[in-house]
């Protein structure tokens, strides 16, 4: 009974495992066999490996168990846990959900999944047979780095040479990072700053986070070293928004006198229309003194410059706005100036959109209608639809004419009931598509929304050997037959990684992760079959962009049972034949275990 081994059967399993690993296990390794044959190997340092019982024992009957037919898929991501030897109930549930999700199309109804304290998961099938997934394959120890994201200081440190910080500059970076994370990092965390400002946070458990130097330091400038002085007296001006030349000269004189011993030699001072003064230093860096700090205003209008909304209102007739269009202009101007106008200011909009701001003292500012409204266009009324499917192209930066035509067709089809009659669609070299409406207005769809680069699998046609490989059983290739076929295909298809399924089906993985598949029927034939030539066969590989891991070429349980459920029939009536098959299966399983251990070590 594979679910309840006798003591003699347990001893036999232990001896088999010990013998298979006699040159591999360190001295002091302990091997324990459970009731269902599941074997736990405990090493001298306390670490463990688990071998599922169904890899070591099988029943004396001819029926195939669920466990023999199914190889559980191990989830791609491990669950991060606080203590891998004592999982919480929530952590166990997360492990169970991961295993269930990874095998949702594989486990038969009624399959029970139980997670142990160390994450080791036992899958019990409806027929009572079991599979075990070691906890080390499903969980990992959480680290301080998992729990913490260092905050980046808002201000960068100006330094003389961003590639070689001085000790004082490094200290300032460290201080900035420490201050930004004073309530964030675990007690005992260490902060170190490299020559280029790159800062490493080392947590108490040894895990680390890194902040790039470019986020923490910048090249220092003259502006970093200088703070222009503001004159004590402001220049009175008639219109603070439009200073005269003489008013600008007076502002420049005041700023020059206030900084006669302060600015580097060669500094330039320029005054803007609103009195804002810019000091440009010899290295090109700048400081700005707001005009409001340099000039004073005599009226509300002198003190205020209404902001112009960023967006103009599209209108049917810019010379004769409707009441609703005027209301929209007024709303836009109000929103753009909500913190700008004196309380009590009034906003009125004329027929052509020209807007007048009347201040409490009666002074006014005017924003031209041409700055606030524009003629509405077809583009205002239309939003082109983006095709659901992108066109695969050889070079997304330089489309061929046929590729452009396909993009145009896709966009046309996606918008067949959407665009005004007479709209024109043009496609650029990078796929960027412009829709030009009858009134000349345009909408643009970025190229990356309509095209994508072809994968390596799209660009390559798989080559097959001239002769099929002769095998004992085309449905169950041996390891050596798989290796021979894999070597042949990799020579014919340089740069690919080839994996072979039990039935000879080959998967060619290209450098970008895309794949082509060649059916085993085109690559292998049973020994004694005279038709072994492929020279006139054109291979049409199955293409997918799914990435796979080269380890799938290993001979562990997952690779050998690539076609789940397809195992050789072992229903011979002769007892000696049965014993022979059982012996061969046991030797194969032990060999696989050894190879699996090697792969794990690698």
């Amino acid at each position: 009974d594979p679910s309840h081994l006798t003591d003699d059967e347990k001893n036999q399993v232990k001896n088999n495992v010990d013998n298979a690993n006699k040159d591999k296990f360190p001295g002091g390794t302990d091997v324990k066999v459970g009731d269902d044959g599941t074997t736990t190997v405990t090493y001298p340092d306390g670490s463990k490996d688990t071998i599922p019982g169904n890899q070591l024992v099988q029943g004396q009957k001819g029926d195939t168990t669920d466990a023999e037919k199914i190889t559980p898929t191990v989830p791609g991501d491990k669950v991060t846990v606080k203590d891998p030897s004592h999982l919480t109930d929530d952590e166990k549930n997360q492990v169970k959900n991961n295993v269930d999700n990874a095998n949702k199309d594989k486990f038969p109804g009624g399959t029970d999944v139980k997670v142990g304290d160390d994450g080791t998961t036992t899958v019990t099938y409806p027929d009572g047979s079991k599979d075990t997934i070691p906890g080390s394959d499903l969980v990992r120890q959480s680290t301080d780095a998992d729990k913490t994201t260092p905050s980046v200081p808002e201000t960068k440190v100006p330094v003389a040479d961003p590639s070689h910080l001085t000790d004082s500059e490094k200290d300032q970076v460290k201080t900035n990072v420490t201050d930004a994370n004073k309530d964030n990092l675990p007690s005992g965390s260490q902060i170190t700053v490299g020559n280029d400002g790159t800062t490493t946070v080392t947590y108490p458990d040894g895990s680390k986070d890194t902040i790039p130097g470019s986020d923490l330091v910048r090249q220092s400038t003259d502006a970093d070293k200088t703070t222009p002085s503001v004159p004590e007296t402001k220049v009175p001006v008639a219109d603070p928004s439009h200073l005269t030349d003489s008013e600008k000269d007076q502002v420049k004189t005041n700023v020059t006198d206030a900084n006669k011993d302060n600015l580097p030699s060669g500094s330039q001072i320029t005054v803007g229309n609103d009195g804002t003064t810019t000091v440009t230093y010899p290295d090109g860096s700048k400081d700005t003194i707001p005009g409001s700090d340099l000039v004073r205003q005599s009226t509300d209008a002198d003190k205020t410059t209404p902001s112009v909304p960023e967006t103009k209102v599209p209108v049917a007739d810019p010379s004769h706005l409707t009441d609703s269009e005027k209301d929209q202009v007024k709303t836009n101007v109000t929103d753009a100036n909500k913190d700008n106008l004196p309380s009590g200011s009034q906003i009125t909009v004329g027929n052509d959109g020209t807007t007048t701001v009347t201040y409490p003292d009666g002074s006014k500012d005017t924003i031209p209608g041409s700055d606030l409204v524009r003629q509405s266009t077809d583009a205002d009324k239309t939003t082109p639809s983006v095709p659901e499917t992108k066109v695969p192209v050889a070079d997304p930066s330089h489309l061929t004419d046929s590729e452009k035509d396909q993009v145009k067709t896709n966009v046309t089809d996606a918008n067949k009931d959407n665009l005004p009659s007479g709209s024109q669609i043009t496609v650029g070299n990078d796929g960027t598509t412009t829709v030009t409406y009858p009134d000349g207005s345009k909408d643009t769809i970025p190229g990356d929304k309509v095209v994508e680069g072809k994968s390596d699998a799209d660009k390559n046609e798989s080559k097959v050997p001239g002769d099929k490989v002769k095998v004992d059983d085309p449905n169950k290739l041996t390891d050596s037959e798989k290796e021979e076929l894999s070597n042949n295909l990799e020579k014919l298809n340089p740069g690919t990684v080839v994996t072979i399924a039990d039935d000879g089906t080959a998967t060619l993985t290209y450098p970008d992760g895309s794949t082509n598949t060649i059916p085993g029927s085109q690559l292998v034939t049973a020994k004694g079959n005279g038709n072994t030539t492929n020279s006139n066969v054109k291979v049409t590989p199955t293409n997918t962009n799914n990435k796979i891991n080269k380890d799938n070429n290993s001979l562990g349980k997952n690779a050998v049972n690539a076609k789940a459920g397809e195992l050789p029939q072992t229903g011979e009536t002769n007892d000696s034949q049965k014993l022979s098959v059982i012996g061969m299966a046991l030797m194969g399983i032990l060999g696989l275990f050894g190879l699996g251990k090697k792969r794990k070590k690698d």
Side-chain angles (χ1 to χ4, degrees):
D1 181 356
S3 61
H4 295 88
L5 272 65
T6 66
D7 289 342
D8 287 342
E9 290 169 341
K10 290 180 182 179
N11 287 334
Q12 185 177 353
V13 171
K14 182 179 186 305
N15 290 337
N16 287 352
V17 172
D18 284 336
N19 291 335
N21 294 276
K22 60 185 177 181
D23 297 325
K24 188 176 294 184
F25 286 164
T29 298
D30 181 48
V31 177
K32 290 189 181 300
V33 182
D35 287 342
D36 64 351
T38 297
T39 299
T40 302
V41 181
T42 304
Y43 301 104
D45 63 358
S47 60
K48 298 181 180 182
D49 272 322
T50 302
I51 310 169
N54 64 347
Q55 292 187 4
L56 299 171
V57 300
Q58 65 180 20
Q60 296 292 323
K61 55 187 180 180
D63 292 338
T64 302
T65 67
D66 287 339
E68 291 170 332
K69 293 185 283 186
I70 299 170
T71 300
T73 299
V74 178
D77 295 322
K78 296 182 180 180
V79 176
T80 301
V81 299
K82 185 175 182 180
D83 182 356
S85 61
H86 294 87
L87 273 64
T88 66
D89 289 342
D90 286 343
E91 292 168 344
K92 290 180 181 179
N93 286 336
Q94 190 173 353
V95 171
K96 182 180 185 305
N97 288 338
N98 283 7
V99 172
D100 283 339
N101 290 335
N103 293 276
K104 59 185 176 182
D105 297 325
K106 184 176 289 188
F107 287 165
T111 299
D112 180 51
V113 176
K114 291 190 181 299
V115 181
D117 288 341
D118 67 347
T120 297
T121 298
T122 302
V123 181
T124 304
Y125 299 103
D127 66 354
S129 59
K130 299 180 180 182
D131 270 324
T132 302
I133 306 174
S136 58
D137 289 345
L138 300 171
V139 301
R140 69 174 180 84
Q141 175 72 51
S142 65
T143 66
D144 289 333
D146 291 321
K147 309 167 192 172
T148 310
T149 301
S151 298
V152 178
E154 293 183 2
T155 304
K156 296 181 181 181
V157 176
V159 298
D161 181 355
S163 300
H164 298 88
L165 274 64
T166 65
D167 289 342
S168 62
E169 292 169 343
K170 291 180 182 179
D171 289 342
Q172 185 59 57
V173 171
K174 182 175 180 179
T175 297
N176 284 9
V177 173
T178 300
D179 290 346
N181 291 277
K182 58 186 176 182
D183 299 321
N184 187 30
L185 304 183
S187 176
S189 298
Q190 301 294 321
I191 297 174
T192 54
V193 181
N195 288 334
D196 64 351
T198 297
T199 298
T200 302
V201 181
T202 304
Y203 300 105
D205 66 356
S207 59
K208 298 179 179 183
D209 271 320
T210 302
I211 306 174
S214 57
D215 290 346
L216 300 171
V217 301
R218 64 174 176 81
Q219 178 69 53
S220 63
T221 65
D222 287 336
D224 293 318
K225 307 166 190 173
T226 309
T227 302
S229 298
V230 178
E232 294 182 2
T233 303
K234 296 181 181 181
V235 176
V237 298
D239 182 355
S241 301
H242 299 90
L243 273 63
T244 65
D245 289 342
S246 62
E247 290 169 344
K248 291 181 182 179
D249 288 342
Q250 186 59 55
V251 171
K252 182 175 181 179
T253 297
N254 285 7
V255 172
T256 300
D257 291 344
N259 290 278
K260 57 186 177 182
D261 299 321
N262 187 30
L263 304 181
S265 176
S267 298
Q268 301 294 321
I269 298 173
T270 55
V271 182
N273 288 334
D274 64 350
T276 297
T277 298
T278 301
V279 181
T280 303
Y281 300 105
D283 66 356
S285 59
K286 298 180 180 183
D287 271 322
T288 302
I289 307 173
S292 58
D293 290 344
L294 300 171
V295 301
R296 64 177 176 83
Q297 304 160 336
S298 58
T299 66
D300 288 336
D302 292 331
K303 303 169 188 174
T304 309
T305 301
S307 298
V308 178
E310 293 183 3
T311 304
K312 296 181 180 181
V313 176
V315 298
D317 182 356
S319 300
H320 298 89
L321 274 63
T322 65
D323 289 342
S324 62
E325 292 169 343
K326 289 180 182 179
D327 288 342
Q328 186 60 56
V329 172
K330 183 175 180 179
T331 297
N332 285 8
V333 173
T334 300
D335 290 345
N337 291 277
K338 58 186 177 182
D339 299 321
N340 189 31
L341 305 183
S343 177
S345 299
Q346 300 295 319
I347 298 173
T348 55
V349 182
N351 288 334
D352 65 351
T354 296
T355 297
T356 301
V357 181
T358 303
Y359 300 104
D361 65 357
S363 59
K364 298 179 179 182
D365 269 321
T366 301
I367 306 174
S370 58
D371 291 345
L372 300 171
V373 301
R374 63 175 176 79
Q375 177 69 54
S376 63
T377 66
D378 288 333
D380 293 319
K381 308 166 189 172
T382 309
T383 301
S385 298
V386 178
E388 293 183 2
T389 304
K390 297 181 181 181
V391 176
V393 298
D395 181 357
S397 299
H398 298 89
L399 273 64
T400 65
D401 289 341
S402 61
E403 292 169 342
K404 291 180 182 178
D405 288 342
Q406 185 59 55
V407 171
K408 182 175 180 179
T409 297
N410 286 8
V411 173
T412 300
D413 291 345
N415 290 276
K416 57 186 176 182
D417 299 321
N418 187 29
L419 305 183
S421 175
S423 298
Q424 301 294 320
I425 297 174
T426 55
V427 181
N429 288 335
D430 64 351
T432 297
T433 300
T434 302
V435 181
T436 304
Y437 300 104
D439 65 357
S441 60
K442 299 179 180 182
D443 271 320
T444 302
I445 304 174
D448 60 2
K449 300 293 186 184
V450 294
V451 301
E452 61 185 357
K454 288 183 177 178
S455 68
D456 288 341
D458 291 325
K459 303 172 187 175
N460 290 276
E461 182 174 352
S462 303
K463 298 178 181 178
V464 302
D467 293 327
K468 296 181 182 179
V469 174
K470 295 181 179 179
V471 299
D472 292 326
D473 181 356
N475 294 316
K476 189 71 175 178
L477 273 65
T478 67
D479 294 346
S480 61
E481 291 168 346
K482 290 181 181 180
E483 183 175 3
E484 178 184 355
L485 182 54
S486 175
N487 289 340
N488 290 349
L489 287 170
E490 288 185 351
K491 288 178 183 177
L492 288 173
N493 298 273
T496 63
V497 175
V498 179
T499 57
I500 306 298
D502 283 357
D503 65 352
T505 297
T507 300
L508 280 62
T509 303
Y510 297 88
D512 66 354
S514 60
T515 61
N516 278 331
T517 302
I518 305 172
S521 59
Q522 296 183 7
L523 299 171
V524 300
T525 186
K527 290 181 178 179
N529 188 338
N531 182 15
T532 63
T533 300
N534 276 332
S535 58
N536 293 322
V537 177
K538 180 179 180 181
V539 175
T540 304
T542 301
N543 174 270
T544 175
N545 288 328
N546 292 332
K547 295 183 178 180
I548 64 171
N549 191 308
K550 184 177 179 181
D551 284 347
N552 285 343
N553 197 32
S554 68
L555 301 178
K557 181 178 177 184
N558 288 344
V560 173
N561 292 331
K563 296 181 70 178
E566 293 187 13
L567 298 176
Q569 296 299 315
T570 58
E572 297 91 345
T573 58
N574 186 290
D575 289 342
S576 64
Q577 289 177 330
K578 290 184 179 179
L579 291 174
S580 175
V581 171
I582 292 170
M584 291 177 65
L586 183 58
M587 290 178 66
I589 291 168
L590 292 175
L592 290 176
F593 171 71
L595 181 55
K597 290 295 292 179
K598 180 178 186 297
R599 185 171 79 249
K600 179 176 180 181
K601 180 178 179 181
D602 290 344

